[in-house]
Amino acid sequence: MPNITRGGKMPGLIMYLAGPGRANEHTNPHIVAGSDHVAVMVDAGVELSHDDALDIARTLDQPRKAFGTKVTSPVKEWNEETGKRETVGRKDSHVWHCSLSLRADEGQLTDAGWETIANEFATRMGFVDPDGAKSSRWVAIHHGASKNGNDHIHFVAQMVTEDGSKARTHNDFKRAQKICGELEKEHGLAITEGRETGQVLSAEKPGEKRRAEREQAPWVEKIELRRRLRAALAGSKSEANFVARVYEAGVIIRPRFAEGRTNEVTGYSVALPSPEGSDRAPIFYAPSKLDKSLSLPKVRETLGTYSNGDPQALGVWQEHHRSARASSSPRMGAMDQGLRERVQEGRVTHADLAKIFAAGSMKYEIDKPGPLAQMSETHAQVAANPPAYGYMARQINRAGSKNASEGWNAILMQAARLSRVMADTQFGGDRPQLAATSVALGAMVVAEAQTRLDEAAARGAARREAMAATESQTQGTGVPASGGGSGMTQQELDRMQSLLRAQRGNKPTPSTGQAPPVTPKPYQPPGRDRGHDQGRER
């Protein structure tokens, strides 16, 4: 999984890679591969010292300093007046840095394995010229697993070649993705799901994670924006309603108008308010870069509105043209009735489930995204590259339930059942990792929803007992019994108890009318006696 950045400080980067790291996670930093100029400097496998790191940086920088070649890239900022990101300057970018990482559950590669991969990567990316003149100097450094347990190497290349020309970096991100896909197959590594189609959600970048840690934020802003936008879409009936709900979710939303016009909206951008005490400006994202299903054309398609916009929404867009939130406190509305009905009838897509779990997360995990938020991301990943429609329709039909209720927890439990059915067949056969994640998270979602239902039922029973005691004390006095501010009607309580019985498959006990407690079944991964298990569970 390649992650590419560009910079202008070679000594600073190499010193960091050979140092202890931000959280002392770097252990035994050493070279596993490099161009000829670097490979002869330090023996393979020998831990790098401070002086070694400085020598390697000077060697990598030598062609640039010898020829004086400048390599720059544009610096862009958001222009509020034009509604576009515009170039405001240029920065030094002669350092090309890419981390190549394995998943944590793949374990570790040997240095020899990383050496082979690094050499192949350098050659296929064009950093190695057979004639030597157009070659870039490069090094691959290994320093142990990341904080998340991923074995990885750092590949660093100089953008000025041996003859003083600039290295070819056009389309480097897509080329790196393609090359990593080839290396996965050739070396028997786990295939990164969705890479071949290019239909994957934008991943969080190291800089974004570091900013969240520095600001002690409970989320990476890019991921949090996806959650809030999906939740807003889950409850929207129109384009105007969607814009208002996004704003109520604590998001700054800015329309992009057609060139020279203010009566036609062609897109939008979103940001979270800057953290309290921070002097930085909000960071805006185009929704299509977060999740293609959240782009304005896709939102309009989902809502069934006009492709060029709903005239009734124009006033709402214009209202938020200059608006800015002073507080990030989100408000969550009800789920759209049509979406509720589709869940109850089992007629949902992965995109629907992504919205449902996001909405549930905004209700129960407001300031600390948990399993519901992760379920939303999982289904959004599959929605970006879904299995064949007919195949998915058969899955959904099998997942239909007659026991769905209108309560939030019932909707989430039904959505989790639908998710399990889809995951049991690995989301179309090419999503084994996401399928396993979905099954495990689904079990947590159901358990937490069941706990909330049990607690609500217990509170309702306690209230009824208190009401009955008060009523018996006041009988014959003419004083009406107080409800004690119950907040739960008998109809709601009966519906909740009915749901509990349906979920557990038990009948009410004669004495209490409530279902007896059930010991949760241990989690069983998909694939083992699958047909039998599915028949028993559903």
Side-chain angles (χ1 to χ4, degrees):
M1 296 181 286
N3 181 62
I4 299 170
T5 57
R6 299 280 296 275
K9 297 180 180 179
M10 185 68 79
L13 175 59
I14 301 300
M15 290 291 292
Y16 167 74
L17 297 179
R22 291 184 176 85
N24 294 317
E25 74 275 23
H26 295 176
T27 57
N28 185 27
H30 58 278
I31 293 175
V32 293
S35 56
D36 292 341
H37 298 83
V38 177
V40 297
M41 296 181 64
V42 182
D43 290 337
V46 175
E47 185 169 351
L48 296 174
S49 67
H50 179 274
D51 292 339
D52 291 334
L54 287 176
D55 289 342
I56 292 169
R58 281 194 288 265
T59 300
L60 292 172
D61 251 348
Q62 190 174 351
R64 179 183 66 87
K65 293 183 176 180
F67 290 97
T69 306
K70 291 186 178 296
V71 181
T72 62
S73 59
V75 177
K76 295 187 176 183
E77 291 183 359
W78 180 265
N79 187 318
E80 293 186 9
E81 294 184 359
T82 62
K84 297 179 180 178
R85 284 174 57 84
E86 297 181 350
T87 300
V88 297
R90 300 192 71 83
K91 65 177 182 180
D92 245 349
S93 299
H94 61 270
V95 180
W96 194 89
H97 174 212
C98 176
S99 58
L100 300 175
S101 175
L102 303 181
R103 291 203 326 271
D105 57 6
E106 283 192 85
Q108 293 187 335
L109 282 183
T110 63
D111 280 356
W114 278 123
E115 179 185 9
T116 301
I117 287 175
N119 279 304
E120 287 291 335
F121 185 77
T123 301
R124 300 183 196 188
M125 283 297 296
F127 293 124
V128 178
D129 175 21
D131 297 328
K134 300 292 183 183
S135 287
S136 293
R137 298 188 181 187
W138 62 273
V139 67
I141 295 176
H142 185 279
H143 56 200
S146 68
K147 288 191 296 183
N148 295 326
N150 305 84
D151 190 26
H152 65 285
I153 60 171
H154 291 266
F155 183 97
V156 182
Q158 171 60 251
M159 289 289 91
V160 179
T161 65
E162 293 296 332
D163 65 358
S165 60
K166 297 179 183 179
R168 184 173 71 92
T169 58
H170 175 68
N171 214 20
D172 54 350
F173 180 79
K174 289 187 177 180
R175 287 192 293 122
Q177 289 284 346
K178 180 176 181 296
I179 291 167
C180 283
E182 296 169 353
L183 293 172
E184 285 173 344
K185 295 176 181 176
E186 293 170 13
H187 294 274
L189 302 174
I191 305 300
T192 301
E193 298 169 351
R195 189 202 302 281
E196 293 185 354
T197 64
Q199 300 296 318
V200 293
L201 297 182
S202 174
E204 58 191 30
K205 296 179 180 179
E208 293 169 334
K209 291 185 67 175
R210 288 196 295 271
R211 183 171 62 244
E213 292 171 357
R214 186 170 59 251
E215 296 175 347
Q216 297 183 333
W219 46 59
V220 172
E221 289 194 351
K222 175 192 295 182
I223 311 301
E224 175 62 11
L225 283 168
R226 285 204 289 247
R227 181 174 75 128
R228 297 194 188 190
L229 291 179
R230 290 185 198 127
L233 190 55
S236 299
K237 299 178 177 62
S238 66
E239 184 176 331
N241 191 215
F242 171 70
V243 177
R245 280 179 174 267
V246 170
Y247 191 73
E248 289 172 358
V251 176
I252 304 171
I253 180 169
R254 290 179 175 170
R256 185 177 69 250
F257 293 101
E259 190 72 30
R261 305 175 64 179
T262 58
N263 61 350
E264 183 181 346
V265 180
T266 59
Y268 70 107
S269 59
V270 289
L272 292 178
S274 302
E276 292 185 10
S278 170
D279 58 356
R280 71 166 173 84
I283 301 171
F284 281 85
Y285 292 88
S288 59
K289 301 298 183 182
L290 303 174
D291 181 343
K292 293 183 186 299
S293 70
L294 298 172
S295 67
L296 187 55
K298 289 292 186 182
V299 168
R300 286 171 171 169
E301 180 182 330
T302 299
L303 296 174
T305 190
Y306 305 101
S307 59
N308 60 345
D310 184 353
Q312 296 182 0
L314 184 59
V316 184
W317 280 116
Q318 292 173 335
E319 178 186 346
H320 293 298
H321 182 36
R322 299 285 183 182
S323 63
R325 275 196 168 276
S327 170
S328 60
S329 299
R331 294 191 297 272
M332 180 66 202
M335 189 185 300
D336 177 60
Q337 184 61 31
L339 186 55
R340 282 175 174 268
E341 292 173 356
R342 291 203 298 277
V343 178
Q344 293 167 356
E345 297 169 5
R347 299 183 296 105
V348 291
T349 64
H350 288 288
D352 288 332
L353 290 177
K355 290 183 287 187
I356 291 163
F357 287 122
S361 177
M362 289 299 294
K363 183 172 180 65
Y364 294 113
E365 306 169 341
I366 298 178
D367 296 323
K368 191 175 181 181
L372 292 168
Q374 294 176 57
M375 287 288 277
S376 176
E377 285 286 289
T378 296
H379 282 281
Q381 285 278 14
V382 182
N385 182 28
Y389 176 78
Y391 178 85
M392 186 161 49
R394 289 195 296 274
Q395 291 179 313
I396 293 172
N397 287 337
R398 285 167 47 211
S401 169
K402 298 179 181 179
N403 298 320
S405 175
E406 292 182 1
W408 261 103
N409 289 300
I411 291 294
L412 292 175
M413 294 173 82
Q414 171 70 348
R417 287 200 298 271
L418 293 166
S419 176
R420 173 62 188 269
V421 171
M422 296 176 182
D424 273 347
T425 46
Q426 298 184 349
F427 291 156
D430 59 354
R431 293 288 192 272
Q433 296 130 33
L434 285 178
T437 299
S438 179
V439 170
L441 289 172
M444 294 175 64
V445 169
V446 171
E448 290 184 1
Q450 187 69 67
T451 298
R452 287 191 292 267
L453 287 171
D454 289 341
E455 291 173 349
R459 288 195 299 271
R463 290 190 189 105
R464 288 205 314 280
E465 289 179 4
M467 290 171 63
T470 303
E471 186 174 333
S472 65
Q473 292 173 3
T474 57
Q475 277 184 351
T477 66
V479 179
S482 170
S486 168
M488 179 181 291
T489 66
Q490 183 63 42
Q491 183 182 8
E492 290 173 335
L493 185 63
D494 291 341
R495 182 188 303 132
M496 189 170 295
Q497 290 176 336
S498 175
L499 173 67
L500 285 169
R501 292 194 295 272
Q503 292 291 337
R504 295 167 172 167
N506 294 322
K507 296 182 179 179
T509 59
S511 59
T512 65
Q514 297 181 21
V518 174
T519 303
K521 295 180 180 179
Y523 163 68
Q524 181 175 344
R528 182 179 301 174
D529 293 330
R530 181 176 296 155
H532 176 66
D533 288 345
Q534 289 178 354
R536 182 176 64 248
E537 291 175 0
R538 284 175 294 279

